Amino acid sequence: MRRWPFLLAVMGLATGLCAQAPMLQDGAATLRQAQRTWTTGEEPLPPLAFPSLEVGLGGAGSEGRYAPLVGGEGLGQAVQGWGLGLQGRYVSGGWSVAATALGLRDGEMTRGYLLRAEIAYRWESGWRLALEQQPFAWGAGLGGGDLLGDAARPLPRLSWSTPEASLLFGRWRAEGFAGRLEADRPIPAWIPDREARLAAQAGGLDLRRPWLYGGMLRAAFGPVLEASLGSVRMEGGEDSVGRAAPASSARTWSLMEVKVRIPALARFAGARGAAIHLSRSAAPGSRALTLTPARTLGGFQLVWDLWDLAVDYAGAAPSDHPETFTQPIYLAGPSTFGDSLGAAFGREAITRTVELGMPLFLEGQGRLRGVRGTSASPLTPGFWFLQGEAQWRTPTGRIGASLASRRDEIPGSTVRWGWTFSLFQSFRVF
């Protein structure tokens, strides 16, 4: 039995105005704060414009059934062990340089991780170009983003974004990226037809180092409505003997989303803001850009001064998984290091999620997330998932922990649990 999971070496661009989630997750916390800011209708905070350096110690790990750490940036699954961390940021003019490096001891092996990194330049006009490995989320939802989420370890990529432009009755902006996934991606534990994929992989039908690229177009119409249209494509790569991937192995994911602020609901609930989100996304087994077969997601969020409450529902995208694979295909699916790049539990899961942010004693901040998952397939078990995290600022830095647990309902078997746990202490140098 493996020792309890624990987390990370840590530091964070720590002096942000919003609390940061545990385990080097300042990137995930930034995404969450952006969602909260949109709900309240406030102006987004500008990027931090001063240097920082933080060191820390801690660990991350997992045991039992697959239990993704939502917003965990791969910690506990792709990143495990005990050790030290270093995180820093330097800003000068339009340039910004940042990095998060970990050295963790896992069993008899010590591994080094460049968990996050950034070399970016932002022009005064608002254009931004970056070579980065940072968490980001495309698509609403409490799993961190339905098209691209932050449960998986961030992938290295070249990214760009435009300033807002007033066109066609709205304010428009765009962003995009291009990167490559790792050469030997494990078959994820959350894929329903994992055994068939493993057999195909053993037969040499997997592909390595595929390209992943995408674009997102966003438009704000007035003070209460924002719409987004995006697409992500995976193609290229090579097989185990170096042959180029066939065109038939390409895959495209697409998303259409609408977010609406509801001031009347906020006033009724005595909240600072209220909003709903609705989206349709699709991951067809073809090269086409389409929204069928579609996965539907919808939910709402209420934000108070110290509390926030959010609920969402995500239906499963219909799929017909073959029992065997007869041609090279991306057997690991939309994932990196075994974690989902999109919905944390995979697109085949039907999820009902409740999330609550709350103040804790000694001016700490906590968050609870509960998920009930089912499947349209009688062969795929349902599950219960609970994640909690807490963090406190200290005179020298911050301390925090995060725990996720999952129980699968497998007919005719004993109860099976999975755990992911993290713990850290960080020290701010400056």
Side-chain angles (χ1 to χ4, degrees):
M1 179 174 176
R2 298 177 56 185
R3 67 175 181 273
W4 287 112
F6 283 102
L7 153 66
L8 41 182
V10 176
M11 357 62 356
L13 322 170
T15 50
L17 297 181
C18 62
Q20 298 168 339
M23 63 190 105
L24 290 181
Q25 287 195 81
D26 41 359
T30 299
L31 295 173
R32 184 183 301 143
Q33 179 63 21
Q35 182 185 50
R36 178 185 173 99
T37 297
W38 193 92
T39 299
T40 59
E42 301 169 346
E43 287 295 322
L45 295 173
L48 297 176
F50 50 84
S52 65
L53 178 65
E54 194 172 358
V55 297
L57 64 155
S62 61
E63 180 182 9
R65 302 291 296 171
Y66 176 71
L69 204 56
V70 178
E73 303 173 29
L75 291 164
Q77 300 288 339
V79 179
Q80 302 187 55
W82 288 90
L84 302 174
L86 179 68
Q87 180 166 275
R89 176 183 176 91
Y90 179 77
V91 179
S92 178
W95 288 96
S96 62
V97 180
T100 297
L102 306 179
L104 302 181
R105 182 74 172 176
D106 184 15
E108 300 300 319
M109 184 175 296
T110 300
R111 292 185 174 91
Y113 300 94
L114 182 62
L115 191 64
R116 284 189 267 118
E118 172 191 275
I119 301 176
Y121 186 80
R122 184 182 295 273
W123 284 263
E124 292 183 0
S125 61
W127 285 84
R128 179 181 181 273
L129 181 66
L131 181 62
E132 61 185 2
Q133 181 170 302
Q134 303 277 8
F136 68 134
W138 280 4
L142 303 182
D146 200 48
L147 190 61
L148 289 172
D150 57 0
R153 184 175 169 185
L155 64 135
R157 61 191 182 270
L158 178 69
S159 65
W160 55 268
S161 60
T162 72
E164 285 190 342
S166 297
L167 300 168
L168 299 176
F169 312 106
R171 302 189 312 278
W172 297 73
R173 56 191 173 92
E175 56 188 290
F177 76 94
R180 298 194 82 166
L181 301 182
E182 67 270 25
D184 298 303
R185 293 187 299 146
I187 303 297
W190 44 266
I191 284 184
D193 52 358
R194 188 168 188 265
E195 294 304 320
R197 292 176 184 240
L198 286 172
Q201 185 182 56
L205 296 182
D206 201 6
L207 295 174
R208 302 176 176 183
R209 294 182 58 80
W211 286 97
L212 188 75
Y213 57 89
M216 179 76 75
L217 184 63
R218 305 182 190 272
F221 301 97
V224 299
L225 175 64
E226 180 178 290
S228 302
L229 181 63
S231 178
V232 174
R233 185 173 179 80
M234 184 166 62
E235 67 179 2
E238 57 187 29
D239 63 18
S240 58
V241 296
R243 293 174 299 194
S248 59
S249 65
R251 294 293 180 268
T252 301
W253 295 268
S254 51
L255 169 79
M256 181 175 63
E257 176 185 273
V258 174
K259 297 191 296 185
V260 183
R261 295 190 187 98
I262 309 178
L265 177 58
R267 290 192 296 270
F268 176 78
R272 291 174 53 195
I276 61 172
H277 56 265
L278 301 169
S279 71
R280 298 271 286 181
S281 60
S286 71
R287 298 167 56 92
L289 179 61
T290 178
L291 286 172
T292 55
R295 169 180 164 93
T296 301
L297 185 148
F300 73 88
Q301 182 180 36
L302 288 167
V303 175
W304 293 269
D305 288 333
L306 299 176
W307 296 75
D308 62 85
L309 172 67
V311 176
D312 77 19
Y313 169 87
S319 60
D320 182 18
H321 295 286
E323 295 182 357
T324 60
F325 295 90
T326 58
Q327 62 180 5
I329 191 172
Y330 291 115
L331 298 177
S335 67
T336 183
F337 297 98
D339 287 338
S340 174
L341 277 168
F345 303 99
R347 298 180 54 83
E348 292 79 9
I350 303 171
T351 58
R352 305 154 185 87
T353 306
V354 178
E355 184 173 305
L356 178 67
M358 71 201 78
L360 299 177
F361 58 93
L362 298 179
E363 298 183 351
Q365 289 201 342
R367 184 162 295 271
L368 289 173
R369 175 186 290 108
V371 181
R372 170 56 175 161
T374 56
S375 173
S377 170
L379 301 179
T380 304
F383 64 88
W384 292 91
F385 176 86
L386 180 65
Q387 179 171 323
E389 54 192 54
Q391 180 170 263
W392 291 266
R393 293 181 183 274
T394 69
T396 58
R398 56 193 174 104
I399 186 171
S402 184
L403 169 68
S405 64
R406 169 175 171 161
R407 189 192 74 175
D408 283 351
E409 299 175 327
I410 302 177
S413 68
T414 58
V415 174
R416 301 182 66 184
W417 288 88
W419 303 85
T420 303
F421 189 80
S422 66
L423 174 70
F424 80 90
Q425 166 70 67
S426 71
F427 303 93
R428 188 166 53 251
V429 178
F430 60 82

